Amino acid sequence: MNLDNFFTPKSVAVIGASHTPGKVGHSIVKDFLKAKFQGKIFPVNPDTTPILGLETYASVKDIPERIDLAVIAVPAKVVEKVLKECISKKINSAIIITSGFSETGKEGKKLEEKLKKIIRKKIRVIGPNCLGIFDSFSKVDTLFLSEERMKRPDKGNIAFISQSGAVGSTILDWLHEENIGISKFISYGNGIDVNEVDLITYLAKDEKTRVIAVYLEGIKSDGRKFFESLKRCCKIKPIIILKAGKSEKGTKAVISHTGSLAGSSEVFSAVFKQTGAIEAANWEEFFDYIKVFSTQPFPRGERLAIVTDGGGFGVLATDEAERQGLVLKEPSKNLRKILEKQLPPYVILHNPFDLSGDATAERYRIVMEECLRREYDGAIAIVLFQVPTLDEKVVDIIPEIAKKYQKPVVVCSTGGKFTLKNVGRLESNGIPVYPTPERAVKAFSLLLKYKKQTFFKK
Amino acid sequence: MNLDNFFTPKSVAVIGASHTPGKVGHSIVKDFLKAKFQGKIFPVNPDTTPILGLETYASVKDIPERIDLAVIAVPAKVVEKVLKECISKKINSAIIITSGFSETGKEGKKLEEKLKKIIRKKIRVIGPNCLGIFDSFSKVDTLFLSEERMKRPDKGNIAFISQSGAVGSTILDWLHEENIGISKFISYGNGIDVNEVDLITYLAKDEKTRVIAVYLEGIKSDGRKFFESLKRCCKIKPIIILKAGKSEKGTKAVISHTGSLAGSSEVFSAVFKQTGAIEAANWEEFFDYIKVFSTQPFPRGERLAIVTDGGGFGVLATDEAERQGLVLKEPSKNLRKILEKQLPPYVILHNPFDLSGDATAERYRIVMEECLRREYDGAIAIVLFQVPTLDEKVVDIIPEIAKKYQKPVVVCSTGGKFTLKNVGRLESNGIPVYPTPERAVKAFSLLLKYKKQTFFKK
């Protein structure tokens, strides 16, 4: 059974749909309507008064049409009965939002075991104890968190998998803030059926997904299968993983949190290394890597040019480049000659290129264009928008040059309102922006390292 | 000669004041007026038509009053003459904004040497090639960058020293964005007279300054003096230093940038360690440390409580705590009993405390208050504002508890508009907020490490 019905169902039953605003079963119906989901929605509730104007059914069995996906948000004790009804209705995909299972202790664990027995290849289940799915294309949205508190990202090419709903929701909210789109988001909670292996395998084949990002506490799947599916899928597209629970105490915290065993951190790191998955060391790297992988092409070679209007930032970037093992090649005599002709004499034609404190957008254009056209494989522009002479046009120039030469370009900018406005425009045009020179360099260097790995087939 | 006249002059001559909006010599006069500087301002320009309504003088010598501070923004070649006039007028402090000296090569170097000879203890000089000073209390403001592009921070307790004007200006802009105030900002450029040693020594005694932050490329002072003044001043207040130009290539970039020798990175790190200065490894740590040191008291002991409504974030914070050598002590039986009575049974009463996905502001209040009152020396609250049940009151509760128990509290929050609004409110109330759990933990652990150092007298 494949997972298509989770992401592109034509008809959805929301079992436990509620008449009461604020309740989970109400929010889910509302989210589907608000997101302009193109399929049909069938609320299910013993009280068959219409919910949000939709005809409501007492049981899923009463719905007179075929149902592709059931979203279950009834109390834990009723889930078993509802799931059986779904199976008898020949629904092959269900998301169980409801919590109160193995994560709460012994009693919950028993309930969960019962569900597992019912499932036995008759239906595919995501959850329980999860947020479910957000698909930016089909508009499946079971997240039940209000738009006011948690914005949904636009369409994009990142698929995001998270056991934890809370972690997942903050990431979605942040992605929206940073103008980064996603293809699919899946929070699979206790993962009693569909697990990380199923999802990674599915997303590796998904045409809308270019990068798979995974927040992992422990694995629900068999270790060997996990290893093999990762190895297979890493050959198809980049998989970025943040593994939480790496410390001894952190492992214990994972057990309290999702009831799953975190496993030894060394084992996980070894698995990621051997399979070619990209391991983020922390939350920030996770963000930073997602951003650069989802927007930039891989560099063809190692020659990176750093261009800045703030000499000090050039120095910090150079320090980080050395830490990351990048060699900043100096411009050739020929390139220097070409640049000298077009620039004032005090512009520093070393790498990093220092355009000086009276830099203009045009100076950025000249240096970045000549560098990328002639002898560099990528560029980092460290733009200080505080510089009075710098025309805002620079935010159009940079993406244009990046596109023209199909080479990776990363920007660093730090500052207040004026800077943030320009950062937003750069990001909307597909250029990842980082607030520190070191993070920009690190993101670029990761692209290069990934490219150089042997398992990567271009 | 002390440096008071740079920061609290009663009368300022702006030599090279201009009638033309946009010019440096115009912006400086405008900034003084706009900032509501309380002293007198005397523009100096051969064309004595009033500038911005102020009576203008052909020469500083023509001003009929005593002048405490001269701000010089005339072309490089004229600086020598103007400086001599200042000395004959018995002005004892001057800021030379003008660039075009040693940073541009041989010719400039010669000009700079001439200035040094003129100075010889007759006048104290900041610059040349600098932004000068911003004092948030007296409103001395020579920064000549428009408010539109670069906001000025409010009054606060951080003094910030930067050779580089560009780096300095982005920091000021960012501090404003993060609601962090400063006491004084000094960009001293080529530092031909007043250097880092003078400034650190002065600021160590400055009552308005609690933390000294220094962005350093190389030192202008004698190495021994630098070491000794650092050692002396670090006993008085925390000094946080970001040293750029640590790599081989970075050192070369420093030479291009400010014409000063960066020196071996190992030597600098050793100096910082021996003197008790706090070295930030990169731009981000620099920010993060400034924030926590300027707002939080030092913890009395090592017992840190982590409180969150997102279990996954608790795990990531725990991982980082272990990396930082922090032991997360479990709550005592007694504390658990007290908490159990007030909280639902599924709230996890281990450290990290997981308030669960239906957390309320009241739950945060109960756990943080009981923890800080009874057995913890500080707390990190990881607040997911996406959680629907969480009342915004939590942004008032957290600063209240921190204040009540006079213990360090740090917050972590990630997300979009709704979150950012609340983060702003927390920061305005003196609580530092970090966007990742790891950075929050690292900032807290640094407070503790600093406190434990023997040189720290408290």
Side-chain angles (χ1 to χ4, degrees):
Chain A
M1 269 190 261
N2 83 23
L3 307 178
D4 284 342
N5 276 352
F6 284 107
F7 301 102
T8 49
K10 293 203 179 66
S11 52
V12 177
V14 180
I15 308 172
S18 167
H19 298 84
T20 317
K23 286 219 169 180
V24 170
H26 187 86
S27 300
I28 292 174
V29 178
K30 207 171 145 190
D31 287 343
F32 268 100
L33 293 175
K34 213 175 160 187
K36 300 195 175 151
F37 171 65
Q38 293 297 311
K40 288 183 183 172
I41 308 155
F42 301 92
V44 176
N45 187 309
D47 169 359
T48 58
T49 324
I51 292 174
L52 291 159
L54 296 169
E55 188 168 351
T56 298
Y57 299 84
S59 158
V60 72
K61 294 193 287 186
D62 301 341
I63 302 172
E65 300 189 29
R66 197 173 65 96
I67 296 295
D68 289 340
L69 172 66
V71 180
I72 301 174
V74 297
K77 283 175 188 168
V78 194
V79 171
E80 191 187 337
K81 176 177 158 278
V82 162
L83 197 61
K84 282 180 183 164
E85 289 175 358
C86 288
I87 292 169
S88 72
K89 170 82 183 158
K90 300 219 171 6
I91 299 175
N92 67 20
S93 305
I95 301 171
I96 306 175
I97 303 292
T98 313
S99 55
F101 293 91
S102 64
E103 80 280 5
T104 59
K106 270 188 196 169
E107 280 305 306
K109 180 87 190 148
K110 270 189 209 161
L111 277 179
E112 194 168 294
E113 288 304 319
K114 278 191 191 169
L115 294 188
K116 280 189 193 169
K117 278 183 196 149
I118 295 166
I119 294 171
R120 293 253 170 104
K121 298 194 177 172
K122 291 186 198 118
I123 186 168
R124 302 274 0 217
V125 168
I126 286 179
N129 182 33
C130 70
L131 284 183
I133 287 176
F134 172 71
D135 185 308
S136 65
F137 292 91
S138 74
K139 304 295 181 194
V140 168
D141 181 349
T142 68
L143 304 185
F144 69 86
L145 295 171
S146 78
E147 273 273 352
E148 190 221 346
R149 295 219 170 189
M150 196 205 85
K151 306 271 179 221
R152 271 67 164 172
D154 289 333
K155 289 174 189 169
N157 58 25
I158 305 163
F160 187 71
I161 305 174
S162 171
Q163 267 176 276
S164 164
V167 169
S169 65
T170 56
I171 292 223
L172 290 185
D173 194 20
W174 170 86
L175 288 170
H176 177 270
E177 187 63 26
E178 301 261 316
N179 302 296
I180 300 172
I182 65 162
S183 54
K184 295 170 172 61
F185 165 80
I186 308 105
S187 142
Y188 62 104
N190 298 2
I192 56 168
D193 177 35
V194 173
N195 59 33
E196 53 283 339
V197 166
D198 300 304
L199 291 167
I200 290 172
T201 307
Y202 181 79
L203 294 168
K205 291 179 204 149
D206 179 35
E207 284 182 6
K208 294 200 168 67
T209 297
R210 174 167 154 181
V211 183
I212 304 172
V214 188
Y215 169 79
L216 207 65
E217 295 190 349
I219 56 170
K220 297 291 178 182
S221 47
D222 171 77
R224 172 55 50 187
K225 274 192 188 163
F226 179 68
F227 181 88
E228 280 166 5
S229 72
L230 257 193
K231 201 170 172 183
R232 208 168 44 241
C233 298
C234 284
K235 286 183 186 146
I236 307 173
K237 52 188 78 167
I239 302 179
I240 304 168
I241 302 180
L242 176 60
K243 170 71 179 68
K246 297 204 76 172
S247 60
E248 206 186 314
K249 176 98 189 176
T251 305
K252 281 183 195 150
V254 162
I255 298 168
S256 310
H257 182 224
T258 54
S260 71
L261 217 59
S264 143
S265 105
E266 289 77 18
V267 171
F268 273 101
S269 291
V271 166
F272 300 148
K273 211 161 191 176
Q274 287 171 36
T275 55
I278 301 151
E279 186 180 10
N282 54 45
W283 185 242
E284 181 166 283
E285 277 191 15
F286 194 42
F287 276 1
D288 287 356
Y289 295 169
I290 288 173
K291 228 161 137 165
V292 79
F293 274 90
S294 73
T295 57
Q296 296 309 298
F298 292 108
R300 278 163 243 161
E302 309 196 17
R303 295 162 304 177
L304 164 69
I306 297 177
V307 186
T308 184
D309 56 346
F313 287 88
V315 177
L316 292 170
T318 304
D319 287 348
E320 184 64 27
E322 196 158 301
R323 278 192 285 265
Q324 295 296 329
L326 287 172
V327 180
L328 294 185
K329 200 179 149 282
E330 287 290 347
S332 68
K333 271 189 190 169
N334 181 43
L335 176 56
R336 288 178 60 127
K337 263 189 199 161
I338 290 163
L339 289 172
E340 266 166 16
K341 278 183 203 155
Q342 304 174 68
L343 296 164
Y346 51 86
V347 165
I348 292 167
L349 298 179
H350 291 289
N351 192 8
F353 295 83
D354 184 352
L355 307 184
S356 155
D358 64 345
T360 58
E362 178 61 11
R363 245 180 249 172
Y364 268 100
R365 196 195 60 70
I366 293 165
V367 175
M368 293 191 68
E369 172 126 34
E370 298 292 357
C371 280
L372 291 187
R373 169 159 45 191
R374 294 172 193 278
E375 55 199 51
Y376 285 97
D377 301 303
I380 295 178
I382 308 175
V383 185
L384 277 61
F385 286 105
Q386 291 85 1
V387 163
T389 46
L390 189 65
D391 193 297
E392 285 182 68
K393 269 186 294 188
V394 73
V395 303
D396 301 318
I397 289 171
I398 291 173
E400 269 166 36
I401 294 173
K403 216 169 271 174
K404 187 166 169 190
Y405 296 100
Q406 284 296 305
K407 293 184 173 180
V409 171
V410 166
V411 166
C412 162
S413 270
T414 302
K417 294 219 167 20
F418 184 77
T419 296
L420 292 173
K421 190 186 73 180
N422 285 305
V423 165
R425 282 174 58 196
L426 277 167
E427 291 190 327
S428 302
N429 281 317
I431 298 291
V433 184
Y434 298 94
T436 80
E438 293 91 352
R439 284 168 66 182
V441 170
K442 216 165 155 191
F444 184 92
S445 89
L446 196 80
L447 273 184
L448 188 62
K449 278 181 198 157
Y450 186 76
K451 162 81 188 301
K452 281 162 84 179
Q453 289 186 56
T454 48
F455 58 82
F456 179 73
K457 304 177 184 168
K458 144 109 194 154
Chain B
M1 270 190 260
N2 84 22
L3 306 178
D4 284 342
N5 276 352
F6 284 106
F7 301 102
T8 50
K10 293 203 179 68
S11 52
V12 177
V14 180
I15 308 171
S18 166
H19 298 82
T20 317
K23 286 219 167 180
V24 170
H26 186 86
S27 300
I28 292 174
V29 178
K30 206 171 145 190
D31 286 344
F32 268 100
L33 292 175
K34 211 176 162 189
K36 299 194 176 151
F37 171 66
Q38 293 297 311
K40 288 184 183 170
I41 309 156
F42 301 92
V44 176
N45 187 306
D47 169 0
T48 57
T49 322
I51 292 174
L52 292 160
L54 296 170
E55 188 168 351
T56 298
Y57 299 84
S59 158
V60 72
K61 293 194 287 187
D62 301 340
I63 302 172
E65 298 189 32
R66 198 173 62 95
I67 295 296
D68 290 339
L69 172 65
V71 180
I72 300 173
V74 296
K77 284 176 188 167
V78 195
V79 172
E80 191 188 336
K81 176 178 158 277
V82 162
L83 197 60
K84 282 180 183 165
E85 289 175 357
C86 288
I87 292 169
S88 73
K89 169 84 184 157
K90 300 219 170 4
I91 299 175
N92 66 21
S93 305
I95 300 172
I96 305 175
I97 303 293
T98 313
S99 56
F101 293 90
S102 64
E103 81 280 7
T104 59
K106 270 188 195 171
E107 280 305 305
K109 181 86 188 145
K110 272 188 207 164
L111 277 179
E112 196 168 292
E113 287 305 318
K114 277 190 190 171
L115 294 188
K116 280 190 193 169
K117 279 184 195 150
I118 296 167
I119 294 170
R120 293 256 170 101
K121 299 194 177 171
K122 291 187 198 117
I123 186 167
R124 303 269 7 211
V125 169
I126 286 180
N129 183 32
C130 71
L131 283 182
I133 287 177
F134 173 71
D135 184 307
S136 65
F137 292 90
S138 74
K139 303 297 182 192
V140 168
D141 182 348
T142 68
L143 305 186
F144 68 87
L145 296 170
S146 78
E147 273 273 352
E148 189 222 346
R149 297 220 168 187
M150 195 204 88
K151 305 271 181 223
R152 271 68 163 173
D154 289 333
K155 288 174 188 170
N157 59 26
I158 304 163
F160 187 70
I161 304 174
S162 171
Q163 267 176 276
S164 164
V167 168
S169 66
T170 57
I171 292 221
L172 290 185
D173 193 22
W174 170 86
L175 287 170
H176 177 270
E177 187 64 26
E178 302 261 315
N179 302 296
I180 300 173
I182 65 163
S183 54
K184 295 170 172 62
F185 165 79
I186 308 104
S187 143
Y188 62 103
N190 298 3
I192 56 168
D193 176 37
V194 173
N195 58 33
E196 53 283 339
V197 166
D198 299 304
L199 292 167
I200 290 171
T201 307
Y202 181 79
L203 294 167
K205 291 179 203 151
D206 179 37
E207 284 182 5
K208 294 200 167 69
T209 297
R210 176 167 153 181
V211 183
I212 303 172
V214 188
Y215 169 79
L216 208 64
E217 294 190 350
I219 56 169
K220 298 290 180 182
S221 48
D222 171 78
R224 172 57 47 187
K225 273 192 188 164
F226 179 68
F227 180 88
E228 280 166 5
S229 73
L230 257 192
K231 200 170 173 183
R232 207 168 45 243
C233 297
C234 283
K235 286 184 184 144
I236 306 173
K237 51 187 79 169
I239 302 179
I240 304 169
I241 302 180
L242 175 61
K243 169 70 179 72
K246 296 203 79 172
S247 61
E248 206 186 313
K249 177 97 189 179
T251 304
K252 282 183 195 151
V254 162
I255 298 169
S256 310
H257 182 225
T258 54
S260 71
L261 217 58
S264 143
S265 105
E266 289 77 18
V267 171
F268 272 101
S269 292
V271 166
F272 299 149
K273 211 159 192 180
Q274 286 171 38
T275 55
I278 301 151
E279 187 180 9
N282 54 45
W283 186 243
E284 181 166 282
E285 277 191 17
F286 193 44
F287 277 1
D288 287 356
Y289 294 169
I290 289 173
K291 228 161 136 165
V292 79
F293 274 91
S294 74
T295 57
Q296 297 309 297
F298 292 106
R300 276 162 243 161
E302 308 195 15
R303 295 160 306 177
L304 164 69
I306 297 177
V307 187
T308 184
D309 57 345
F313 286 88
V315 176
L316 292 170
T318 305
D319 287 348
E320 183 65 24
E322 197 158 300
R323 276 192 286 265
Q324 296 295 330
L326 287 170
V327 180
L328 295 185
K329 200 179 149 280
E330 287 289 348
S332 68
K333 272 188 189 168
N334 180 44
L335 177 56
R336 289 178 59 126
K337 263 191 200 160
I338 290 163
L339 290 172
E340 265 165 17
K341 278 182 203 155
Q342 305 175 67
L343 296 164
Y346 52 84
V347 165
I348 292 166
L349 299 178
H350 291 289
N351 193 8
F353 296 83
D354 184 351
L355 307 183
S356 157
D358 65 344
T360 58
E362 179 62 11
R363 245 180 249 172
Y364 268 101
R365 196 194 60 68
I366 292 165
V367 175
M368 292 191 67
E369 173 125 35
E370 299 291 357
C371 280
L372 291 187
R373 171 160 43 194
R374 293 173 195 279
E375 55 198 50
Y376 286 96
D377 301 303
I380 295 178
I382 308 175
V383 185
L384 277 60
F385 286 106
Q386 291 84 3
V387 163
T389 46
L390 189 65
D391 193 296
E392 284 181 69
K393 267 186 296 188
V394 73
V395 302
D396 301 318
I397 289 171
I398 291 174
E400 269 166 38
I401 295 174
K403 216 169 270 174
K404 188 165 168 191
Y405 296 101
Q406 285 295 306
K407 292 184 174 181
V409 171
V410 166
V411 166
C412 161
S413 271
T414 303
K417 293 217 168 22
F418 185 77
T419 296
L420 292 173
K421 190 185 73 180
N422 286 305
V423 165
R425 283 175 57 197
L426 277 167
E427 291 191 327
S428 301
N429 281 316
I431 298 291
V433 184
Y434 298 94
T436 80
E438 293 91 352
R439 283 169 66 181
V441 170
K442 214 163 155 192
F444 184 93
S445 89
L446 196 79
L447 274 185
L448 188 62
K449 277 181 198 156
Y450 185 76
K451 163 82 187 302
K452 281 163 84 178
Q453 289 185 56
T454 47
F455 58 80
F456 179 74
K457 307 175 185 170
K458 151 73 211 208

Short mmCIF file of all heavy atoms in Angstrom, two decimals, chain A residues 21 102 161 165 178 182-183 236 319 338 423:
data_model
loop_
_atom_site.label_atom_id
_atom_site.label_comp_id
_atom_site.label_asym_id
_atom_site.label_seq_id
_atom_site.Cartn_x
_atom_site.Cartn_y
_atom_site.Cartn_z
N PRO A 21 -16.09 25.61 18.46
CA PRO A 21 -14.84 26.28 18.05
C PRO A 21 -13.76 26.13 19.13
O PRO A 21 -14.06 26.17 20.31
CB PRO A 21 -15.26 27.75 17.90
CG PRO A 21 -16.72 27.70 17.61
CD PRO A 21 -17.24 26.52 18.40
N SER A 102 0.81 5.08 24.31
CA SER A 102 2.02 4.62 25.02
C SER A 102 2.80 5.75 25.69
O SER A 102 3.53 5.51 26.65
CB SER A 102 2.94 3.85 24.05
OG SER A 102 3.40 4.72 23.04
N ILE A 161 9.88 15.78 8.21
CA ILE A 161 9.34 14.69 9.03
C ILE A 161 9.71 14.94 10.48
O ILE A 161 10.87 15.21 10.79
CB ILE A 161 9.96 13.33 8.62
CG1 ILE A 161 9.75 13.06 7.14
CG2 ILE A 161 9.39 12.22 9.46
CD1 ILE A 161 10.47 11.80 6.66
N GLY A 165 5.29 16.74 17.56
CA GLY A 165 4.42 17.75 16.98
C GLY A 165 4.88 19.16 17.33
O GLY A 165 4.87 20.05 16.49
N GLU A 178 10.67 32.86 7.45
CA GLU A 178 11.89 33.00 6.64
C GLU A 178 11.61 32.86 5.14
O GLU A 178 12.55 32.71 4.35
CB GLU A 178 12.90 31.94 7.07
CG GLU A 178 13.29 32.02 8.52
CD GLU A 178 14.61 32.74 8.76
OE1 GLU A 178 15.57 32.49 8.04
OE2 GLU A 178 14.66 33.57 9.68
N ILE A 182 7.59 24.57 1.74
CA ILE A 182 7.77 23.13 1.91
C ILE A 182 6.87 22.38 0.96
O ILE A 182 5.91 22.93 0.40
CB ILE A 182 7.49 22.66 3.36
CG1 ILE A 182 6.01 22.88 3.72
CG2 ILE A 182 8.38 23.33 4.36
CD1 ILE A 182 5.61 22.05 4.93
N SER A 183 7.17 21.11 0.76
CA SER A 183 6.29 20.26 -0.05
C SER A 183 5.30 19.56 0.89
O SER A 183 4.10 19.69 0.73
CB SER A 183 7.10 19.25 -0.85
OG SER A 183 7.96 18.50 -0.01
N ILE A 236 19.47 9.45 -3.71
CA ILE A 236 18.48 10.13 -4.57
C ILE A 236 18.41 11.62 -4.27
O ILE A 236 18.36 12.45 -5.16
CB ILE A 236 17.09 9.47 -4.39
CG1 ILE A 236 17.21 7.95 -4.62
CG2 ILE A 236 16.08 10.10 -5.33
CD1 ILE A 236 15.97 7.17 -4.31
N ASP A 319 38.16 33.59 8.71
CA ASP A 319 38.49 32.72 9.84
C ASP A 319 37.66 31.43 9.78
O ASP A 319 38.17 30.33 9.96
CB ASP A 319 38.19 33.43 11.17
CG ASP A 319 39.21 34.53 11.49
OD1 ASP A 319 40.25 34.60 10.82
OD2 ASP A 319 38.95 35.32 12.43
N ILE A 338 40.72 43.20 -14.88
CA ILE A 338 39.36 43.49 -15.34
C ILE A 338 38.59 44.29 -14.28
O ILE A 338 37.88 45.24 -14.59
CB ILE A 338 38.63 42.16 -15.66
CG1 ILE A 338 39.24 41.55 -16.93
CG2 ILE A 338 37.13 42.38 -15.83
CD1 ILE A 338 38.90 40.09 -17.10
N VAL A 423 16.44 41.56 3.74
CA VAL A 423 16.68 40.13 3.90
C VAL A 423 15.45 39.35 3.40
O VAL A 423 15.57 38.36 2.68
CB VAL A 423 16.99 39.78 5.37
CG1 VAL A 423 16.88 38.29 5.63
CG2 VAL A 423 18.38 40.29 5.75
#
